[in-house]
């Protein structure tokens, strides 16, 4: 973005600090008007014919823009992939614990990778792994849905579950007496 002396165009369309049109004039005259008001002349549309310049406080403008970008970064949520590992002969309580972990990850807005590692003779029974994966998918169905169906890749069976709502659940802190 060009400001003040960097603007070398012969004629520019000038917009005042209040947002009203001042008109088409030479860049030198526009700079003089900006200096008289202790403001900067900023080229905001270089491709227009003639280029459009605005009289504004450039420092304040940059500060406002940085503030908006910081706010946007603060509000965005990066989706992480969390992994939950199961086994073919998993017990009921262990299974429920893994389901609870996956539900918490999904409520935070993350994706969950569910995997089962087949050892030794377990490779002969991939249908048991598929059955466990389906049971797991049903258990977490209130928080998330299956994004990628269970698939056997080498010795691992992998399934991806994603959160139903994309907005992460924010934890509210109570501002009461302690």
């Amino acid at each position: 973005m060009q400001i003040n002396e960097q603007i070398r165009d012969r004629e520019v369309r000038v917009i005042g600090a209040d947002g009203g049109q001042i008109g088409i004039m030479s860049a030198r005259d526009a700079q003089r008007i900006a200096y008289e008001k202790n403001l900067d002349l900023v080229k905001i549309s270089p491709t227009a014919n003639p280029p459009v310049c605005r009289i504004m406080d450039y420092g304040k403008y940059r500060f406002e823009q940085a503030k908006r970008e910081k706010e946007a970064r603060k509000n965005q949520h990066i989706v992480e992939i969390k992994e939950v590992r199961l086994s073919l002969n998993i017990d009921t309580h262990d299974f429920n614990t893994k389901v609870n972990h996956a539900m918490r990850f999904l409520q935070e807005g993350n994706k969950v990778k569910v995997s089962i590692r087949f050892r030794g003779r377990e490779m002969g029974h991939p249908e048991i792994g598929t059955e466990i994966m389906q049971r797991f998918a049903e258990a977490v169905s209130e928080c998330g849905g299956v994004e990628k169906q269970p698939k056997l890749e080498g010795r691992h069976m992998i399934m991806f579950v994603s959160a139903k709502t994309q907005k992460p659940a924010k934890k509210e802190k109570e501002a009461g007496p302690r």
Side-chain angles (χ1 to χ4, degrees):
M1 192 173 288
Q2 295 177 340
I3 60 169
N4 297 332
E5 290 83 25
Q6 294 174 350
I7 301 171
R8 300 261 184 228
D9 299 296
R10 200 176 333 174
E11 280 189 331
V12 292
R13 181 180 305 273
V14 182
I15 299 172
D18 58 350
Q21 289 244 4
I22 294 177
I24 297 173
M25 60 181 74
S26 71
R28 200 173 281 163
D29 291 342
Q31 282 178 5
R32 188 175 37 75
I33 293 170
Y35 284 136
E36 287 171 2
K37 295 180 180 180
N38 284 334
L39 295 172
D40 299 306
L41 183 68
V42 182
K43 188 189 282 189
I44 56 174
S45 181
T47 56
N49 192 11
V52 179
C53 294
R54 183 172 183 167
I55 296 174
M56 66 168 88
D57 185 351
Y58 187 64
K60 184 177 178 183
Y61 170 76
R62 281 191 33 213
F63 173 75
E64 292 290 330
Q65 217 156 6
K67 196 168 148 184
R68 278 196 297 271
E69 287 172 7
K70 185 178 178 185
E71 191 68 28
R73 272 196 307 273
K74 189 173 89 173
N75 290 336
Q76 75 182 15
H77 177 75
I78 298 162
V79 176
E80 296 180 41
I81 298 177
K82 304 286 190 170
E83 185 172 3
V84 174
R85 292 182 184 162
L86 306 174
S87 63
L88 273 190
N89 47 5
I90 191 166
D91 200 22
T92 311
H93 184 266
D94 295 337
F95 182 81
N96 292 336
T97 303
K98 301 283 186 173
V99 166
N100 289 338
H101 287 326
M103 300 252 285
R104 190 179 72 229
F105 295 149
L106 292 170
Q107 286 169 350
E108 290 171 0
N110 296 314
K111 290 184 182 181
V112 178
K113 174 183 175 182
V114 185
S115 64
I116 297 178
R117 181 165 186 255
F118 291 88
R119 296 191 210 102
R121 293 183 180 178
E122 292 175 350
M123 282 299 293
H125 303 285
E127 68 280 354
I128 297 172
T130 307
E131 187 179 300
I132 291 171
M133 290 284 201
Q134 295 301 332
R135 203 170 91 213
F136 190 87
E138 287 172 19
V140 298
S141 64
E142 68 183 54
C143 291
V146 176
E147 185 178 285
K148 187 178 173 191
Q149 290 295 327
K151 184 178 176 185
L152 190 64
E153 296 174 0
R155 289 195 165 274
H156 296 273
M157 182 173 283
I158 299 170
M159 171 177 76
F160 285 92
V161 180
S162 61
K164 281 188 177 175
T165 57
Q166 291 298 324
K167 291 183 181 178
K170 292 191 177 182
K171 298 173 186 171
E172 294 181 22
K173 296 180 181 175
E174 292 182 24
R178 294 185 183 208

